[in-house]
Amino acid sequence: MANPFFPMNRRNFIAASGAALTIAGAGVRAQSRAPIELHTRMTSYAFGSHETHGLVSLADDAPPPVIKLRQNEPAVIDVTNGLEDFTTMHWHGIRLPNAMDGVPYLTQFPIAQHETFRYAFTPPDAGTYWYHPHCRTMNQMALGLTGMLIVEEPDEIGFDQDLPLNLKDFRLDEERQLMPYFTARGAARGGTLGNTMTSNWQISPRYDVPAGGLVRVRLAVTDTTRVHRLVFPNVEGKIIAWDGHPVNEDIAWPTEQAPLWLGPGQRADVALRVPDSEGTELDFTSLIGSRQHSVASIRSVGKSKGRDLAELRSLPKNPVAIPDLDNAKTQELVFGWTPDGNGQNNGLCGSSDYTFWSIDRKPWPGDAVSGIGPVANLDYGKSYILRLRNESPNLHPIHLHGLAFVPLRSNLRTLARNWTDTILLLKNEVVDIALKADNSGDWAFHCHVIEHQKTGLAGYVRVS
Ligand code: C2O
Ligand code: CU
Ligand code: CU
């Protein structure tokens, strides 16, 4: 192979990852359910009256499905690639064995057209997660391939309805055809925003819910760019989970003055009580400037169920190891611009031709590079404080694979100490996060504004 950045051929890679699997002791476990089969494909879809062509999904004329797994139950998911491009699938927020993480070159070889890769893992945590490709990410995610992944608690919590809302924009022209989703101008700034906001691929959908009932709304921002500022006017409810995990500390109910900021990659679960009278409509809104845009609404139907939020069982805690702060080492990581340079468009997963961003002033040079070390080396079982310093005026939802962490403090605001996998850094914000490095492997670590990720703001953390 002429390309010097192409690290290994397919056969070597499979042998190498098989070996790693044995060493890690992460053999495929017995399965209690039939494998879930996912087939990537091109599709068309009508967002309004016109068909949009050239979308990517796992179903014809429909968005990627909501996948449901159960906490502590083995899951097997076979991903077959029907696209001409290579792909992989990543299970965002799930703490799983490294070989199942779906990151090209770092944990697996990209999946070619007509090939199948078997992902097998047992989710240790219940809650709201999501999935997306990690190869040709900019392309495939912007064109639709983002879906929600729900890991159910072993016991019922007591809701009358579960309502996942996959918040994702599309960038469409007047004929409702796709416009370029990557712009150099956007990538060097806040990212390129879409112009058509959707929930579950629908524009401002309305869902019927039982009057007087209790509903769990799972909000997931799977967009490549948009940071939502959410407000739920007149809704009686509370935020019960954050980025998958039940909250440790309360999150203030959002208001127009203090909306809920939810960046790409982040999730919030809202428990709400539907009004008693039939036909009442309530909106979930995202602020665009000071205008409240309805991303979805609910309408009460039927005779009141007369439920009360106090009847809900509290969500059982997930088994995340608490970091030992007294013995934690601190390491700083700086996120910022980088002198404009040419990216190395190597490998099969569509690295960018540009670099604008960096971690510790080193831009990630492309997916298929070899010989690039981790941005942090963590000893297995030890606790760490990572000081995340945003040296830019742009927002960066910083995401770590494979581990959950907790924010400790910020130079700009008070942060609730809730477990997360993605933290939104504000302009010039410095946030200390803490974690226990209890999952070994090379874990991707990047900004979830995909244009930033693909132009340098990416790397990985090694736990060994
Ligand atoms: Cu949600 Cu590395 O990704
Ligand atoms: Cu992830
Ligand atoms: Cu960013």
Side-chain angles (χ1 to χ4, degrees):
M1 183 97 12
N3 188 335
F5 296 101
F6 200 89
M8 40 182 139
N9 68 34
R10 178 182 308 267
R11 189 155 294 141
N12 288 346
F13 188 87
I14 289 166
S17 60
L21 205 72
T22 320
I23 292 160
V28 176
R29 280 166 249 203
Q31 58 207 73
S32 56
R33 288 183 178 190
I36 295 169
E37 290 184 20
L38 304 179
H39 293 251
T40 61
R41 71 194 70 191
M42 303 298 298
T43 189
S44 300
Y45 181 81
F47 291 105
S49 46
H50 288 63
E51 286 259 293
T52 300
H53 304 291
L55 295 161
V56 180
S57 187
L58 297 166
D60 292 328
D61 312 310
V66 176
I67 297 177
K68 288 192 178 166
L69 305 179
R70 258 181 193 280
Q71 186 176 21
N72 297 327
E73 269 189 30
V76 176
I77 307 177
D78 286 334
V79 175
T80 302
N81 185 13
L83 306 170
E84 279 176 37
D85 280 341
F86 283 75
T87 195
T88 63
M89 206 60 85
H90 168 62
W91 318 98
H92 182 122
I94 305 282
R95 300 186 297 137
L96 38 56
N98 195 235
M100 297 294 118
D101 200 37
V103 180
Y105 303 103
L106 204 59
T107 73
Q108 71 169 94
F109 197 86
I111 311 168
Q113 189 177 24
H114 306 314
E115 281 191 349
T116 301
F117 187 94
R118 171 161 287 192
Y119 294 93
F121 57 88
T122 302
D125 304 317
T128 303
Y129 302 91
W130 65 293
Y131 62 92
H132 59 82
H134 225 282
C135 172
R136 304 284 299 169
T137 318
M138 190 63 241
N139 176 308
Q140 292 173 13
M141 284 177 67
L143 300 185
L145 191 46
T146 67
M148 292 182 68
L149 176 64
I150 293 174
V151 182
E152 293 173 319
E153 296 82 15
D155 300 311
E156 287 285 331
I157 304 301
F159 287 101
D160 298 296
Q161 196 166 326
D162 199 295
L163 181 57
L165 296 178
N166 176 352
L167 306 186
K168 165 150 182 38
D169 296 3
F170 291 87
R171 202 156 176 266
L172 306 176
D173 65 17
E174 285 110 76
E175 269 87 56
R176 297 252 162 169
Q177 298 313 308
L178 291 155
M179 293 196 289
Y181 37 80
F182 178 97
T183 64
R185 193 190 148 77
R189 296 172 175 78
T192 306
L193 283 171
N195 56 12
T196 307
M197 290 164 87
T198 69
S199 293
N200 307 330
W201 285 27
Q202 291 176 288
I203 299 168
S204 306
R206 191 182 68 196
Y207 295 95
D208 285 347
V209 293
L214 300 177
V215 178
R216 180 177 187 166
V217 178
R218 302 171 186 262
L219 296 147
V221 178
T222 76
D223 191 51
T224 49
T225 311
R226 185 179 299 279
V227 175
H228 281 274
R229 292 178 299 135
L230 300 167
V231 187
F232 319 128
N234 305 318
V235 173
E236 180 201 346
K238 57 183 176 189
I239 296 165
I240 56 169
W242 182 249
D243 289 336
H245 302 278
V247 294
N248 303 321
E249 286 183 18
D250 283 347
I251 296 172
W253 189 250
T255 62
E256 222 184 309
Q257 292 68 42
L260 182 72
W261 290 63
L262 209 60
Q266 296 190 290
R267 295 86 67 207
D269 288 32
V270 173
L272 69 87
R273 207 277 187 179
V274 183
D276 290 306
S277 51
E278 178 154 29
T280 311
E281 276 192 48
L282 297 172
D283 286 312
F284 286 78
T285 73
S286 181
L287 293 178
I288 300 179
S290 58
R291 186 168 66 83
Q292 294 189 4
H293 171 85
S294 176
V295 292
S297 61
I298 53 173
R299 180 179 62 174
S300 56
V301 295
K303 265 234 307 274
S304 175
K305 285 184 169 278
R307 300 287 309 273
D308 189 320
L309 279 168
E311 292 165 28
L312 292 171
R313 295 183 49 225
S314 53
L315 296 173
K317 281 199 183 316
N318 286 327
V320 183
I322 309 234
D324 172 7
L325 295 181
D326 294 335
N327 295 297
K329 280 188 211 148
T330 301
Q331 184 182 339
E332 180 167 287
L333 293 159
V334 178
F335 308 103
W337 277 321
T338 195
D340 187 8
N342 289 325
Q344 293 163 358
N345 201 341
N346 57 58
L348 303 168
C349 286
S351 310
S352 170
D353 293 328
Y354 300 90
T355 58
F356 298 120
W357 298 97
S358 59
I359 300 180
D360 287 342
R361 309 206 158 73
K362 285 191 285 288
W364 179 250
D367 294 307
V369 288
S370 53
I372 294 281
V375 295
N377 260 303
L378 311 184
D379 290 337
Y380 180 84
K382 294 257 161 63
S383 294
Y384 292 87
I385 294 170
L386 300 179
R387 177 157 298 165
L388 311 181
R389 182 181 295 279
N390 179 9
E391 282 194 336
S392 80
N394 299 101
L395 304 178
H396 300 290
I398 301 294
H399 171 49
L400 176 62
H401 290 210
L403 298 159
F405 60 85
V406 66
L408 297 178
R409 52 192 157 254
S410 153
N411 63 336
L412 298 181
R413 54 182 166 153
T414 309
L415 291 166
R417 289 196 176 182
N418 291 313
W419 296 115
T420 177
D421 48 67
T422 308
I423 185 138
L424 185 65
L425 294 187
L426 306 178
K427 171 181 179 175
N428 296 326
E429 190 175 28
V430 184
V431 174
D432 284 355
I433 63 165
L435 59 83
K436 185 167 178 186
D438 61 354
N439 196 4
S440 52
D442 286 343
W443 299 111
F445 181 63
H446 61 86
C447 180
H448 228 291
V449 170
I450 306 299
E451 283 164 299
H452 293 174
Q453 177 193 358
K454 286 294 189 180
T455 57
L457 217 167
Y460 65 96
V461 166
R462 173 167 291 163
V463 178
S464 61

